[in-house]
Amino acid sequence: MLAKRKLGLTLTSVAALILSAGLSASAGAVGGELQRITPAVDASRPPQDRLVLAVIGDYGGCGVDRNCAAEYQVADMVHSWTPEAILTVGDNTYQQGRPDEVVKAQAPYKADIDAGKFFPIMGNHDYGNGCTPESVQPSLDYFKVPAAFVAGFGNGLLDFVNPDANCQTATGGSKPSIYDAYRNTITSSTSAWKIAGGHQPIYSSGKAGNNLDRAWMMTPGVDLILAGHDHHAEHIETADGYHIAITGNGGEGLTPLFGVAPGSKFRDATHFGAMRLTVTPDSLKAEFLSLPGTVDYYFVLKKDAQGQAYLAERSDWVDPNPNPGGGPVPNKYAVSFDVAADKTDGLTYKNYEDGPYVTTEVDGRRALELQKNPFGGANQLYLFVDDTAISGGPYQVKATISYRSPVTGSFAFQYDSQQSGSAYQRSTPVTIGADQVNQWQTATIDIPDIQFNNRQNGGADLRLNAGANLPLAISAVRIDVVPPSPPVTWVSMDFNEEPEGLTWIPYESGPAHEIVVDDRPALQIDKNTFNSGNNLYLAVDDRYILGGPYDAKATIQYRSPVAGSFVLQYDSAATGSAYQSTTRVSITAAMVNTWQTVTLDLPQVMFRNRQNGNADMRIVAANNLPLIIGSMSVQLLESQAQLLKKAQDAVAAAEANPSAETITAAETAIAKVTDTTQAAALNQRLTVVKLLVQTRDLLNRIAATELTNADQIDAAVTDLTTATTILGQLPADRQGDLPTHLSTTKRRIADALAQYLANPTEGKPDPIKRPWLDLVISDTYDQYGETDLHDRVMSIVRSHATGQQVTTAINEFLASR
């Protein structure tokens, strides 16, 4: 029956129809649907009860006479299942999909192809690493399928939809030209199950990583998305509930795993294998098998009442290498919620039986108020970090919280600790003193080894723990991941001198040779025999810079004998792609044969040897541009997370050693922080330091004054009044020895004032200034209390104030207390 997949036409006539229709659709269909290359559903018969399909990918190494043994072994295993059809996820032929390569690569599956049981997707190697109809034509001719198609199996049991995603990319809210036909095909399909296939995976823990420019394939109605490109096996469930199965381990080598993709449930990069699909009207079972036939992992999808596929079952799997490729890499470096602003960004909270809360308003600010834990002990708030933002670990983070309490007490975060193994490791506590009661406060807590594995009650990642049922109110929480610091921040290569941590790597698709231009050594990028992009692969010495991500700038000195353009491609933590392109550099006719310099931004760049030949980045010169490189350097910039940490450290240094110098350093550091909330919190802490320094400076100025004349005493009284006002604004736990210093200074001024007033004068004495009188009253009260206060004060100021003036001043002083 499958031999008639060409709608009953003869093979020769169908080939011509399919090639033209399929390629035109692939190149930009608008509306309509993808071409169906299998017979239509027979409505008079029910769907099959059971269907077995095989899925293979990245297998065609025999095309270039390499890894043939593994390819044949996988083919033997697949044939032992006697599947009704074999689906591929691309890179069916290496290296460029030439006619002779195709024939050799498909030898293990020739009988399946001839029988019409083979349904291939085209990958980048099938396209000759290009995107022209001519480049993929040898494969389409051999397989006798269009580049884009839909194939049905089991008489309405399953549709396999292939939109030829290799050359169909889109970013942001845009969609590729094939999208409407793809979506219409999915929407109009009446099959019980609909699976889609695209070569590059949308998400992947593998070497090439995420390809978010294919995210358009996640379209409502799709039950499973098949992919390859990365040479490993993986099952991913996205945050939106889509399931992605990567089967790139079909025979053409294996590539290592890197940072774990969000939602990854199974990963294996050590075995060749394939996937077996067992389909019934009620379930779709996907099994990952490795040679010689071991089921390493399986999962089962079923449909809910609305027809949405869900994960009904999966086998237990323990990751033998939970942190491949070095340190973990978050997709976001900060998550937060702000109840007052009604905003959440990757961080949420939920009621739980031992962690209840209510939303209320405190001092005009919306907040969460922790309710009494019915199980006793501490009040708690459970926090959930979005797995697509940060998962796994361990990470070093800073947790910042805005809080308020009507009583004294303390609280801490409890988190999943990599070091202790406890899911409820307690952080450094925050203490609420009597002077902080009923005031909004902000605190930042360092957490050195947190893991985000949904390990706490209710699947939470961490919780706030307020002892003794503290009725804490919380308006905002923010968690910042602190990136590691590299040993150096600059690497370079210059063919006039020895390289400093940056070198070029010869590779089959990136040949180059050294030349001399204008009496200076340089590097000429040679023609790439595999496609039209000339490549120069570049490696950063791991001893200099490793891991990341970092914000960086690359500066390249170059020249070209002809006009053209090039980009620098790098491993991006932001997109997950190992080949993220920078802004394109254009070389105009006026620039030909002259040395030029360009600086390119590399946001969130990673250094983990992820590109071909274990390179970290590569220059790609379009249309085989014979680009010449004179020198290149990479400068790491300070990320916002690093700048925030520096600002936090600078403020902490100012708090530990208050001075004009430490305040200036902290102000400079805070000015570089773009997060307004974080900057405001740091400035609030620094304001306290400034007040401390101002108070201390005032008291030191008084101490340096002789206080023998009226002007000196008058200035000292003014400074003392200002210092007293400032000190009253400071938290008690931050005042240090200033109250004692203030009291000593006040006593000295009072003594000097008494001495000055007792000095004989010619003529009528000047009336005492009110601030002076207030100081005398306050100092006398401090020494003797209210007893005989009037008489004691009058004994000091008798010649300069009346009894009524003193009585009025004392009454006002006592009333103010």
Side-chain angles (χ1 to χ4, degrees), residues 38 147 217 269 277 282 291 339 579 700 708:
T38 52
M217 290 188 65
L277 298 179
D282 299 322
L291 295 176
V339 182
Y579 295 93
N700 287 341
T708 57

Side-chain angles (χ1 to χ4, degrees), residues 339 358-362 365-369 473:
V339 182
V358 296
T359 302
T360 185
E361 190 168 297
V362 182
R365 182 189 297 191
R366 290 184 71 248
L368 308 177
E369 185 176 77

Side-chain angles (χ1 to χ4, degrees), residues 413-469:
F413 284 105
Q414 290 183 310
Y415 64 96
D416 183 357
S417 167
Q418 184 267 342
Q419 184 173 355
S420 71
S422 170
Y424 296 94
Q425 179 67 39
R426 190 173 177 81
S427 73
T428 302
V430 175
T431 300
I432 303 168
D435 59 312
Q436 298 175 314
V437 166
N438 288 325
Q439 298 181 45
W440 281 107
Q441 306 285 336
T442 300
T444 298
I445 301 172
D446 289 312
I447 302 177
D449 62 336
I450 188 172
Q451 300 181 116
F452 298 93
N453 293 326
N454 315 116
R455 194 175 167 196
Q456 293 190 359
N457 292 338
D461 291 292
L462 68 163
R463 70 183 181 188
L464 198 67
N465 182 272
N469 294 123

Side-chain angles (χ1 to χ4, degrees), residues 632-648:
M632 179 175 169
S633 65
V634 177
Q635 174 71 56
L636 300 190
L637 308 177
E638 291 180 302
S639 68
Q640 272 302 306
Q642 290 170 319
L643 292 172
L644 174 61
K645 184 177 185 302
K646 282 195 170 185
Q648 291 168 333

Side-chain angles (χ1 to χ4, degrees), residues 217-233:
M217 290 188 65
M218 296 190 295
T219 296
V222 174
D223 302 313
L224 177 64
I225 298 174
L226 307 180
H229 195 53
D230 273 330
H231 294 197
H232 72 281

Side-chain angles (χ1 to χ4, degrees), residues 277-295:
L277 298 179
T278 304
V279 189
T280 72
D282 299 322
S283 66
L284 188 156
K285 183 177 185 180
E287 298 171 284
F288 290 86
L289 288 88
S290 61
L291 295 176
T294 305
V295 178

Side-chain angles (χ1 to χ4, degrees), residues 1-2 4-8 36-42 152 155:
M1 289 180 62
L2 287 175
K4 294 181 62 179
R5 63 180 180 183
K6 314 306 194 296
L7 304 179
R36 184 171 291 274
I37 61 172
T38 52
V41 173
D42 183 352
N155 194 45

Side-chain angles (χ1 to χ4, degrees), residues 523-534:
L523 190 70
Q524 170 86 62
I525 304 178
D526 294 330
K527 184 175 182 179
N528 180 2
T529 59
F530 297 104
N531 58 49
S532 61
N534 284 354

